[in-house]
Amino acid sequence: MEDNSILEPVKEFPNLLKTNTTNAETYFEDLVKKSGINQDENIKTVDKYKATMVKYNAAYSKATKLKVGRVFLWILFGVLVAMGVIFILIPIGNPAASKALFISLGVVFIALAVGDIVLIIKVINPKIKKRDEIAAAIKLTADQLLALANEQMAPLNSIFDWNMPSDVIKKTTPLIQLDKNFDVKKYYFMRDKYGLDFDVGDKSSVYYVQSGSIVGNPFLVERIFDQVDGEKVYTGTLVISWVTYSTDSKGHRYSNTHIQTLTANVKKFCPYYHYRTYLIYSNDSAPDLCFTRTPQVGIEESDKKIAKTVRKDAKKIDKLAEKAVSDSDPSTNFTAMGNDEFDSLFHALDRNNEVQFRLLFTPLAQKNEINLIKSKAPYGDDFNFSKNKKINVIQTRHGQNADIYCNPNNYLDYDVRESKKKFVNYTNSFFQYLYFDLAPILSIPLYQQEKPMEYIYNKGYESNVSFLEQEVMANSFPSELLQPKDAITNSILKTNFIKKDGDFDQVKIKASAFKGYNRTDFIPVPGGDGRIHSVPVHWVEYVPVESSTLMDVENSDSSRPIFNSMMKNQGFANFINRVSKGNTASYQRGLFAFLLSAPVILSSADMAQVSGLVKPKEGGNTNSK
């Protein structure tokens, strides 16, 4: 059996990235062959289009310059007419002026104005019209070439699908297996075998998940959308004025006007929203061990500064070890590893089981973690690592903003060369992000050696689709379809499983948001005039609001091309329009869903409409061995 282990993650990554690039390019070329498009013809068309656009931009620029010149001439016309009128009228108000001279000058200006407008009408306008026609003709040719290029690329654009980067990564390193979606079997596998609690709370919604496994040990990438209760400071101002009187040394009394701006603040409740992304990995190794670590090394820190930190931490760690030995508390059994650099940089000093910690962090694992922490590229020490018995959680800074969705729209283009570049670049970016999210796990050789014992699955499950994916699919719809009436904030979507409806799950989506009411508080503030003034502070009162929508969702053995084809089918489209809210459906990663305009039970005729799309897999895609 081939050994696919990654023994030194940081060291091996550059070669793996090169391999991934090659695999992505090969994968793309295979897609091109499958689509049947003619690359050479498309390249010729695109080159002609780009060359034509260069000509169009030049022609458009020439026409624009003439139009700017025409504007100048119209301004000049107005100035000349005004000057002519002024010079003609000057003798009327000034009898001493030379009437003949001023009238002559006025006539000259009027004549020049006439010549100016003749130039505009007889010369400039025809030239502009001609140049506009030339530019329009060139643009028409360019548009036709662009339409042809899009038509040439249509077969390829239509077969791009979700999970394609995952397929490439499997070829690059078979160690990392990625699933099409987080199916119900793996959900129960992680919940029942490893005790994973998937509840993220009422104020959080599962926005996206990507599951996979390393030699059968499951992992899950979750992106959660959170509502966080906070406060907002509102500021109000009031301008006041008052008059004081003074007497100067000569006994003259005079007034002084004073102006002051009073300011007041109030703090009020305000909801805030953000995403967080983390990776959960389950493994039976060191089943009682718990610890946490946070980033210790800044990406700009030099090796000299790191060494200084290690020496400083070594003294603290020695004292911690001495205290653990001397006290009588059996829970404080901390023992230094004998590797000051590892203990300092990995800094899992709250570990609860020294034997299992050493079992996990062998000399090679220690070396790998140190190399990862000290690496400057691509991310450096940006990871939090917590282990709670069989559950490992990794949260990285780079993962918070990474595009983890593998949406096929990322690669659509009219130019096969640009499409390839987009595909390869995205696949490499996704691989790099995922690899370094997994790197703290891959750094531990034991995690690549321990395979989970056989897991006995139930024959039937409560739902067809995992509860996390139900929430993900709810979040895949346009927000306005689920937003409560009058809401002014984002919505947190929570799903509640109702029942199985054949191969579909019917769930209720509860959208929780806030509507806002404009309020004003009057805050007493002392002014320089010795009086108390009520300063108005305008603020928004956020009041909870909810709405409910039904959704049917199914885990289908399908693809994006099939879904797009079905949406063009009149019978299928009529079915969606009849039963769905917003006349829309959503598909991604083999999951198909639509919002219900009213509670319905799908009839056999309804099921027949979706039979071309909905074909449940037997056995799912869970790798539990």
Side-chain angles (χ1 to χ4, degrees):
M1 181 177 177
E2 184 179 357
D3 183 8
N4 296 311
S5 299
I6 297 175
L7 298 179
E8 298 180 83
V10 173
K11 183 178 179 181
E12 294 179 42
F13 176 70
N15 286 332
L16 286 171
L17 185 60
K18 290 180 181 178
T19 301
N20 197 72
T21 300
T22 301
N23 289 338
E25 290 172 344
T26 302
Y27 193 97
F28 186 88
E29 292 301 328
D30 289 342
L31 287 175
V32 169
K33 292 177 182 177
K34 181 180 178 180
S35 70
I37 71 166
N38 189 318
Q39 289 193 76
D40 293 336
E41 287 299 321
N42 176 255
I43 291 171
K44 288 179 183 178
T45 302
V46 171
D47 287 345
K48 286 181 182 177
Y49 165 72
K50 291 180 178 179
T52 304
M53 282 302 295
V54 170
K55 293 179 181 178
Y56 165 72
N57 289 331
Y60 180 81
S61 178
K62 286 182 179 180
T64 301
K65 288 177 181 178
L66 268 181
K67 290 174 184 177
V68 171
R70 181 172 62 182
V71 171
F72 172 76
L73 289 174
W74 275 114
I75 294 173
L76 179 60
F77 170 77
V79 171
L80 291 171
V81 169
M83 292 296 291
V85 172
I86 290 171
F87 275 93
I88 291 172
L89 294 177
I90 283 176
I92 297 175
N94 187 4
S98 175
K99 185 176 181 180
L101 175 62
F102 281 103
I103 290 176
S104 297
L105 288 173
V107 170
V108 169
F109 280 119
I110 295 296
L112 289 173
V114 171
D116 180 79
I117 198 168
V118 169
L119 178 64
I120 292 173
I121 296 172
K122 294 295 185 180
V123 179
I124 302 301
N125 283 350
K127 283 188 176 182
I128 289 175
K129 182 180 178 182
K130 184 175 181 180
R131 290 187 180 182
D132 279 343
E133 289 173 350
I134 292 172
I138 296 173
K139 185 63 166 62
L140 178 60
T141 301
D143 289 344
Q144 291 171 342
L145 288 168
L146 179 60
L148 177 59
N150 278 313
E151 183 181 341
Q152 291 169 337
M153 282 290 290
L156 177 60
N157 287 332
S158 69
I159 65 172
F160 285 128
D161 207 348
W162 303 82
N163 304 107
M164 285 183 170
S166 301
D167 295 336
V168 174
I169 291 172
K170 290 176 187 177
K171 294 181 180 179
T172 299
T173 169
L175 178 71
I176 303 173
Q177 293 292 311
L178 295 170
D179 303 325
K180 188 171 186 178
N181 58 62
F182 185 41
D183 70 15
V184 69
K185 283 191 174 184
K186 182 160 283 186
Y187 172 89
Y188 283 103
F189 179 47
M190 295 185 76
R191 192 196 73 171
D192 296 343
K193 177 174 172 57
Y194 297 103
L196 185 59
D197 182 4
F198 289 101
D199 185 12
V200 296
D202 292 337
K203 295 184 178 181
S204 299
S205 181
V206 181
Y207 194 79
Y208 193 80
V209 291
Q210 170 67 64
S211 62
S213 60
I214 298 174
V215 292
N217 296 289
F219 68 81
L220 178 69
V221 176
E222 280 194 82
R223 177 158 288 172
I224 307 298
F225 186 55
D226 294 317
Q227 178 223 311
V228 179
D229 293 344
E231 288 183 324
K232 183 176 180 179
V233 177
Y234 297 86
T235 301
T237 60
L238 177 68
V239 178
I240 63 171
S241 64
W242 68 96
V243 178
T244 59
Y245 296 91
S246 303
T247 303
D248 62 19
S249 59
K250 295 181 180 181
H252 297 132
R253 193 168 183 263
Y254 60 92
S255 63
N256 298 294
T257 300
H258 305 272
I259 298 176
Q260 182 183 18
T261 300
L262 303 180
T263 302
N265 299 317
V266 296
K267 285 184 179 181
K268 299 292 183 180
F269 165 79
C270 180
Y272 294 92
Y273 299 85
H274 66 83
Y275 296 92
R276 57 188 165 96
T277 305
Y278 52 85
L279 181 143
I280 302 171
Y281 172 73
S282 303
N283 194 292
D284 288 319
S285 301
D288 305 308
L289 177 62
C290 300
F291 67 78
T292 59
R293 71 88 55 182
T294 56
Q296 302 295 312
V297 178
I299 199 164
E300 301 298 329
E301 288 189 32
S302 64
D303 290 340
K304 184 177 180 180
K305 186 175 181 181
I306 293 173
K308 183 179 179 180
T309 301
V310 169
R311 289 193 298 271
K312 185 177 179 181
D313 285 348
K315 297 177 182 179
K316 296 179 181 178
I317 292 168
D318 287 341
K319 290 181 180 179
L320 185 63
E322 290 174 7
K323 182 180 179 182
V325 171
S326 61
D327 67 33
S328 58
D329 185 354
S331 65
T332 57
N333 63 345
F334 176 81
T335 306
M337 292 287 286
N339 182 342
D340 291 343
E341 189 174 33
F342 174 74
D343 261 338
S344 171
L345 301 184
F346 194 73
H347 217 77
L349 305 183
D350 61 348
R351 52 191 183 253
N352 69 333
N353 190 308
E354 289 294 331
V355 172
Q356 292 187 9
F357 190 78
R358 282 160 172 73
L359 178 68
L360 213 58
F361 292 99
T362 61
L364 178 56
Q366 294 177 42
K367 175 186 173 184
N368 286 339
E369 298 289 2
I370 290 171
N371 288 340
L372 176 61
I373 291 167
K374 294 173 68 175
S375 64
K376 302 298 182 185
Y379 308 115
D381 181 15
D382 77 334
F383 69 95
N384 294 272
F385 188 167
S386 66
K387 177 172 167 62
N388 184 12
K389 299 183 178 180
K390 298 180 181 182
I391 302 297
N392 301 261
V393 179
I394 306 293
Q395 187 168 23
T396 62
R397 283 194 291 266
H398 72 262
Q400 302 313 302
N401 298 314
D403 181 351
I404 64 177
Y405 309 113
C406 298
N407 192 320
N409 290 333
N410 286 326
Y411 333 122
L412 305 185
D413 207 281
Y414 65 88
D415 184 346
V416 67
R417 294 163 298 185
E418 287 299 314
S419 181
K420 181 178 181 179
K421 187 185 299 183
K422 289 178 180 180
F423 181 81
V424 173
N425 288 346
Y426 180 84
T427 302
N428 281 343
S429 175
F430 180 74
F431 174 58
Q432 178 174 290
Y433 140 75
L434 180 64
Y435 185 88
F436 280 95
D437 255 27
L438 288 167
I441 299 297
L442 298 174
S443 294
I444 303 171
L446 185 60
Y447 277 167
Q448 299 181 42
Q449 298 165 5
E450 290 288 328
K451 296 183 179 181
M453 296 179 62
E454 181 71 27
Y455 180 73
I456 306 301
Y457 290 103
N458 295 325
K459 292 184 178 180
Y461 294 102
E462 179 184 0
S463 62
N464 294 298
V465 178
S466 69
F467 300 122
L468 274 70
E469 289 286 20
Q470 291 173 1
E471 216 153 276
V472 170
M473 290 307 292
N475 279 295
S476 72
F477 286 94
S479 59
E480 60 269 18
L481 294 179
L482 299 165
Q483 190 89 334
K485 184 180 179 182
D486 298 327
I488 64 170
T489 67
N490 291 306
S491 292
I492 295 296
L493 305 182
K494 301 300 296 181
T495 56
N496 181 37
F497 175 74
I498 298 175
K499 62 178 181 178
K500 281 185 178 181
D501 190 1
D503 295 322
F504 282 90
D505 289 342
Q506 190 167 110
V507 301
K508 178 187 287 186
I509 304 170
K510 183 180 78 172
S512 301
F514 294 87
K515 55 184 176 180
Y517 295 98
N518 293 323
R519 307 295 191 200
T520 302
D521 283 358
F522 292 91
I523 310 300
V525 177
D529 59 356
R531 300 170 58 193
I532 300 297
H533 299 268
S534 295
V535 178
V537 181
H538 305 293
W539 57 281
V540 176
E541 181 184 8
Y542 290 93
V543 178
V545 60
E546 294 181 352
S547 66
S548 295
T549 305
L550 294 177
M551 176 181 72
D552 270 10
V553 58
E554 206 274 347
N555 190 357
S556 63
D557 181 11
S558 189
S559 66
R560 173 177 169 267
I562 293 176
F563 173 73
N564 289 340
S565 176
M566 289 291 291
M567 288 299 290
K568 295 176 183 177
N569 177 276
Q570 191 60 52
F572 185 77
N574 290 341
F575 163 73
I576 293 296
N577 291 338
R578 177 169 56 84
V579 303
S580 73
K581 178 180 180 180
N583 298 333
T584 188
S586 179
Y587 173 85
Q588 59 175 254
R589 302 171 294 114
L591 299 168
F592 168 66
F594 53 90
L595 305 177
L596 295 173
S597 54
V600 297
I601 298 176
L602 296 182
S603 65
S604 57
D606 292 332
M607 293 301 296
Q609 290 294 343
V610 295
S611 62
L613 177 69
V614 180
K615 296 179 181 178
K617 279 187 175 182
E618 291 295 329
N621 57 10
T622 300
N623 182 358
S624 62
K625 296 184 180 181

